[in-house]
Amino acid sequence: MSVPPTPVAVYDQPPQFEPLLPASQLDDLREATRRVLERSSELKGSRSPEAREALREVVRSMNSYYSNRIEGQGTHPANIERALKHDFSAKPDVARRQRLALAHIEAERDLEQSVAGEADALSSNFLCRSHASLYGRLSIEDRTTDQDRAIEPGELRKHDVSVGRHQPPTWQSVPRFLARMDEVYGRLQGVDALLYTIASAHHRMAWTHPFEDGNGRAVRLQSHCALFRMNGGLWSVNRGLARKRDRYYELLDAADGPRQGDLDGRGNLSQKMLWEWCRFFIDLCEDQVTFMTALLDLPKLSDRIKTYVTVRRLTDRIPEYRNEAILPLQTVAAVGSISRGDFIRMTGLEERSARKTISRFVADGLLKSESHRADLSLGFPLSALNILLPNLYPEASVAHLD
């Protein structure tokens, strides 16, 4: 009878966290990965560039909300929207969380622009950049832990730590563990291994716990950026992780475990549980791209635009939300952007009334325009998400008290 290995008391050598990738039952993971890639490609080509950019901004705000909520430090989406306008609460704790949310959004936007490829995004250097980009935007007061230690942006920890039942590597050995991950994840080639490699890196980077604090946020930023070239920022694995937070932590913890006998791979840690974590991660990716594709189905989106205008006119009694504006709004959703003159002509209204409607839509965020003469494109304001993009970000429609 095979005897399971005794858990390691001190992790200080990279072989102790092998395997870094699953080595068996890969066909299931590859097949699921191909489905995610195909649906992501369809999604990126299904809407106009302007509609994709509007949606990307919603997803970026949503990423910030969900990643911070996973850490138990979320703030209401309305507070995030206020922070984007640099309108901060008078309550210190709410304002601190607003600043953290804003820093996450800005860091994510900047990091997306610097991704040279998936292998680059999975490097330890990129992980350090992610941590530095997030925490470097915060004052020392906003990045001081409950233990009164300041989080130094991008700086590896200089203490031994424990995380629940897990004892991460000794702080002196962290660079060796990071270098080993760079060797393995830097060899990423082809698309079939893409998602299980990202999933594996997500776990092993978090397992190493390279920073004093902020490891979860930094790792999720890294995973987001590793997925960005594939998904265009149009769907979010953070949403899936947050909605299944308990399972997320359960599987991360399980993949920390030692090998369970001779049929569980050849490394020190469990290959079976690493595979289970990868399957969970890939399934979340598939769920999210499938959900978003259905959400952006043009006929259904057009129906929801009509519903939204009707609700604002009848329920909120806003006269500018007129039936005549429905068709041009639906056209903007379909083609991306149109001139103000075309929008006015499509309403059939007299010019003054049509311009008042446009001004109201721009003020409300339903239409976006770079100037008072520029073309018009569709926006997804927070107040409209429960109708225009139902169930995408349901927390945004919940009343809050600041």
Side-chain angles (χ1 to χ4, degrees), residues 2 49 65 85 88 91 101 125 146 157 165 181 184 187 239 271 289 308 347 353 362 364:
S2 176
Y65 169 77
K85 300 174 183 177
F88 295 96
K91 297 181 178 179
N125 179 59
D146 293 338
R157 60 182 165 88
R165 296 181 301 169
M181 285 187 281
V184 174
R187 293 198 299 263
R239 179 178 182 272
Q271 177 173 254
V289 68
Y308 181 68
T347 67
S353 295
V362 171
D364 289 351

Side-chain angles (χ1 to χ4, degrees), residues 272-289:
K272 175 186 176 183
M273 297 316 300
L274 178 62
W275 188 95
E276 292 287 349
W277 156 252
C278 290
R279 182 75 221 204
F280 169 75
F281 186 94
I282 295 172
D283 284 348
L284 284 184
C285 290
E286 187 170 5
D287 286 346
Q288 294 307 308
V289 68

Side-chain angles (χ1 to χ4, degrees), residues 5 41 63 156 222 393:
S41 180
N63 275 341
L156 301 182
Q222 180 182 44
Y393 196 13

Side-chain angles (χ1 to χ4, degrees), residues 12-269:
D12 58 6
Q13 298 298 324
Q16 295 169 325
F17 78 156
E18 299 282 351
L20 293 186
L21 292 168
S24 62
Q25 295 182 278
L26 297 182
D27 286 346
D28 287 347
L29 302 182
R30 289 166 177 161
E31 183 178 347
T33 294
R34 293 188 195 108
R35 292 196 299 269
V36 175
L37 287 164
E38 289 169 3
R39 292 172 187 173
S40 294
S41 180
E42 292 170 3
L43 180 61
K44 287 193 294 183
S46 64
R47 296 278 76 83
S48 67
E50 294 86 355
R52 291 198 300 270
E53 182 56 33
L55 179 61
R56 193 175 293 119
E57 289 301 315
V58 174
V59 171
R60 192 174 285 121
S61 176
M62 185 178 71
N63 275 341
S64 173
Y65 169 77
Y66 281 130
S67 189
N68 287 320
R69 194 179 81 169
I70 287 170
E71 302 295 330
Q73 293 184 319
T75 187
H76 193 278
N79 287 331
I80 298 176
E81 186 172 56
R82 289 173 54 195
L84 288 167
K85 300 174 183 177
H86 296 279
D87 177 12
F88 295 96
S89 172
K91 297 181 178 179
D93 184 60
V94 174
R96 183 184 64 80
R97 294 184 183 214
Q98 284 181 293
R99 291 190 291 269
L100 178 59
L102 183 60
H104 191 286
I105 291 169
E106 293 175 346
E108 184 174 289
R109 184 182 291 114
D110 284 352
L111 289 165
E112 288 170 357
Q113 303 304 313
S114 67
V115 178
E118 290 85 357
D120 170 64
L122 294 178
S123 69
S124 61
N125 179 59
F126 194 93
L127 180 68
C128 290
R129 282 158 51 196
S130 298
H131 192 271
S133 186
L134 172 58
Y135 287 99
R137 299 171 191 276
L138 298 173
S139 68
I140 192 168
E141 291 80 12
D142 285 344
R143 54 183 169 85
T144 297
T145 71
D146 293 338
Q147 292 73 38
D148 205 32
R149 288 179 177 171
I151 302 172
E152 297 301 331
E155 184 175 302
L156 301 182
R157 60 182 165 88
K158 298 179 180 178
H159 307 273
D160 288 337
V161 296
S162 60
V163 185
R165 296 181 301 169
H166 174 52
Q167 188 70 41
T170 61
W171 70 269
Q172 299 96 330
S173 66
V174 165
R176 294 196 293 272
F177 283 85
L178 295 179
R180 176 58 182 153
M181 285 187 281
D182 288 342
E183 289 178 4
V184 174
Y185 302 136
R187 293 198 299 263
L188 174 64
Q189 293 182 346
V191 297
D192 283 354
L194 177 61
L195 291 184
Y196 69 73
T197 302
I198 294 173
S200 298
H202 186 108
H203 179 272
R204 294 309 197 235
M205 291 287 185
W207 181 94
T208 303
H209 200 87
F211 309 110
E212 182 74 30
D213 203 347
N215 292 274
R217 292 185 182 90
V219 168
R220 286 188 291 274
L221 278 169
Q222 180 182 44
S223 294
H224 167 82
C225 291
L227 291 166
F228 186 74
R229 297 216 315 182
M230 179 183 69
N231 67 18
L234 300 180
W235 56 264
S236 168
V237 74
N238 277 347
R239 179 178 182 272
L241 294 172
R243 291 165 72 88
K244 295 190 176 183
R245 180 177 181 268
D246 290 345
R247 185 63 174 157
Y248 173 37
Y249 281 145
E250 177 186 340
L251 286 171
L252 284 178
D253 182 64
D256 291 350
R259 176 171 59 89
Q260 300 298 312
D262 294 340
L263 299 180
D264 192 14
R266 298 182 179 181
N268 183 60
L269 301 185

